[in-house]
Amino acid sequence: MKITKVEPILVRAPLVLDGAVPHASGAPKNDVHTVLVKVETDEGVTGWGEAFSNAGWQSTCTALAQIIAPRVVGKDPSQIAQIQADLHRGLYNTGRSGPTVFAISGLDIALWDIAAKRAGVPLYKLLGGSARATLPAYASLLRYGVEKAVVDKIHEAKSRGYRLIKLHENNTAIVRAASKACGPDVPLMVDCSCPWTVDESIAIARNWADLKLAWIEEPIYPPDDHSGLARLRTASTTPLAAGENISNFMEFKRLLEIGGVSIAQPSITKIGGVTEMRKVFALGEAHGVTVVPHSPYFGPGLLASIHVCAASARLIPIERYYCDFTESPFGEQIIPKNGDFAVPQEPGLGKDPDMRLVEKMRVA
């Protein structure tokens, strides 16, 4: 079997808005963009991956089409480890993080999809199997910056069966109101999105200590200030989470070696796909650090995260951005039921996307 084509596909999914409009980077957020990675083979088996894009989707798509594809077309898709090694070694001068690594991540997920399809099993079975049919989802609320909107979304999420909630807020009044809305039986996490210095973060952590948060996430700017994270972890009684902005294994190794986090959060569309994600899981186990992946995705990135977590011996909650769409190429498999994700049982990552919707929602 040979790879015949690698194609980036950008799709846009409009959000269902019910009055409260979320924000991202200071601007209203009305939709979600996803860079799908379609890998075709000469035996008719197609794999699907997802590469991190956010505001830089043009660079990620360019890296896939012009840098990654020419290096892998003609190769055997089953040689995943060798393809990974060749790409990382051959392209390190283009960056050990950023669009090139995001592109490698999307390719890797697609190759694992192909491998599991060829084996005729769901991916988690290739990764060690699982005794679990479902995994708990946590509602990762978008940023609203308005107390009432946040509290309303928490009550709505709880009514849908979510038993864990995460905010993307850094206003103390909103965080305290959210904690009250969650009540004593629903753990609350807070992703601060890197707004503060180390000293400011220490002060905030102490101010929030009485809330008994499950974790405080990414409070420090810049996010790669690992020594600052280690200082905060020492000073705070609340567990510290970080790692979504790390795009290579060695940086995670340094972070864990200095005791920078309580919870490591690799992102499968940034870190190098399934292959590198599994290494971070092993690294976390070696250092006694819990690994809870960052997975605010709505396609192969989310599905691959579910498979990797399902194959873990430990029960791991799955992040699900708390929003609704009018339609999605991946349908029901990206929607939790009563607060739980079903672990896909079809060969590969799960059901392939609805190509009619992919073409309808495609923008590049």
Side-chain angles (χ1 to χ4, degrees):
M1 179 181 278
K2 302 293 182 184
I3 297 171
T4 57
K5 186 177 181 181
V6 176
E7 180 184 11
I9 301 173
L10 179 72
V11 297
R12 172 184 172 272
L15 298 176
V16 174
L17 300 176
D18 56 0
V21 179
H23 287 74
S25 301
K29 185 176 182 64
N30 301 307
D31 51 32
V32 170
H33 287 79
T34 300
V35 174
L36 300 176
V37 183
K38 183 181 182 183
V39 177
E40 299 179 22
T41 68
D42 60 357
E43 294 185 13
V45 181
T46 298
W48 289 91
E50 182 175 347
F52 184 78
S53 54
N54 210 347
W57 63 265
Q58 298 94 334
S59 298
T60 301
C61 288
T62 298
L64 278 159
Q66 299 185 20
I67 300 175
I68 302 301
R71 285 171 168 79
V72 300
V73 168
K75 293 187 179 295
D76 182 345
S78 70
Q79 297 176 0
I80 300 174
Q82 191 62 57
I83 289 173
Q84 270 271 6
D86 290 346
L87 289 173
H88 282 290
R89 284 179 175 272
L91 296 172
Y92 70 87
N93 276 326
T94 68
R96 294 275 288 150
S97 63
T100 298
V101 180
F102 302 163
I104 293 173
S105 303
L107 172 73
D108 184 84
I109 293 169
L111 295 183
W112 279 101
D113 186 31
I114 290 170
K117 285 174 176 172
R118 292 185 73 188
V121 297
L123 175 57
Y124 75 86
K125 290 192 175 182
L126 284 189
L127 304 179
S130 178
R132 302 183 180 93
T134 63
L135 291 175
Y138 69 82
S140 187
L141 273 59
L142 303 180
R143 173 167 289 192
Y144 293 93
V146 177
E147 182 177 313
K148 184 180 185 304
V150 171
V151 169
D152 287 347
K153 288 296 179 183
I154 288 173
H155 289 312
E156 180 184 87
K158 289 170 65 175
S159 74
R160 292 182 177 184
Y162 285 94
R163 302 177 297 281
L164 305 97
I165 305 286
K166 186 167 84 175
L167 309 182
H168 286 81
E169 307 286 345
N170 52 36
N171 178 280
T172 293
I174 293 176
V175 173
R176 289 192 173 277
S179 178
K180 182 178 180 181
C182 283
D185 299 325
V186 176
L188 177 66
M189 301 83 83
V190 181
D191 184 342
C192 307
S193 303
C194 307
W196 301 307
T197 66
V198 176
D199 289 340
E200 289 169 341
S201 298
I202 290 172
I204 287 289
R206 288 173 175 167
N207 183 283
W208 293 355
D210 63 299
L211 299 177
K212 306 298 182 184
L213 299 172
W215 71 64
I216 295 174
E217 180 176 334
E218 301 255 330
I220 295 173
Y221 184 84
D224 52 354
D225 182 358
H226 298 336
S227 60
L229 287 168
R231 279 183 55 202
L232 173 59
R233 187 186 181 198
T234 299
S236 174
T237 58
T238 303
L240 178 61
E244 69 178 79
N245 291 301
I246 295 178
S247 295
N248 66 77
F249 172 82
M250 291 305 295
E251 191 175 345
F252 259 114
K253 181 173 181 289
R254 290 190 292 271
L255 176 64
L256 270 57
E257 284 176 343
I258 66 171
V261 291
S262 312
I263 297 99
Q265 299 177 301
S267 182
I268 205 163
T269 69
K270 292 181 176 181
I271 193 65
V274 174
T275 300
E276 297 299 296
M277 176 77 89
R278 297 176 75 200
K279 295 179 184 178
V280 177
F281 267 81
L283 188 67
E285 185 173 351
H287 286 83
V289 171
T290 301
V291 178
V292 181
H294 171 257
S295 59
Y297 309 120
F298 303 99
L302 173 60
L303 297 173
S305 297
I306 292 172
H307 282 284
V308 174
C309 291
S312 172
R314 184 174 55 81
L315 181 65
I316 302 171
I318 305 296
E319 179 177 23
R320 207 282 184 174
Y321 256 25
Y322 188 72
C323 58
D324 298 320
F325 303 102
T326 54
E327 52 192 0
S328 163
F330 291 88
E332 295 294 311
Q333 59 186 332
I334 64 164
I335 301 175
K337 300 295 189 298
N338 297 318
D340 293 309
F341 273 116
V343 178
Q345 298 301 318
E346 298 85 359
L349 293 175
K351 295 178 182 177
D352 282 353
D354 181 333
M355 289 306 300
R356 178 186 63 83
L357 289 177
V358 169
E359 292 305 322
K360 176 182 177 181
M361 302 165 74
R362 182 172 185 163
V363 293

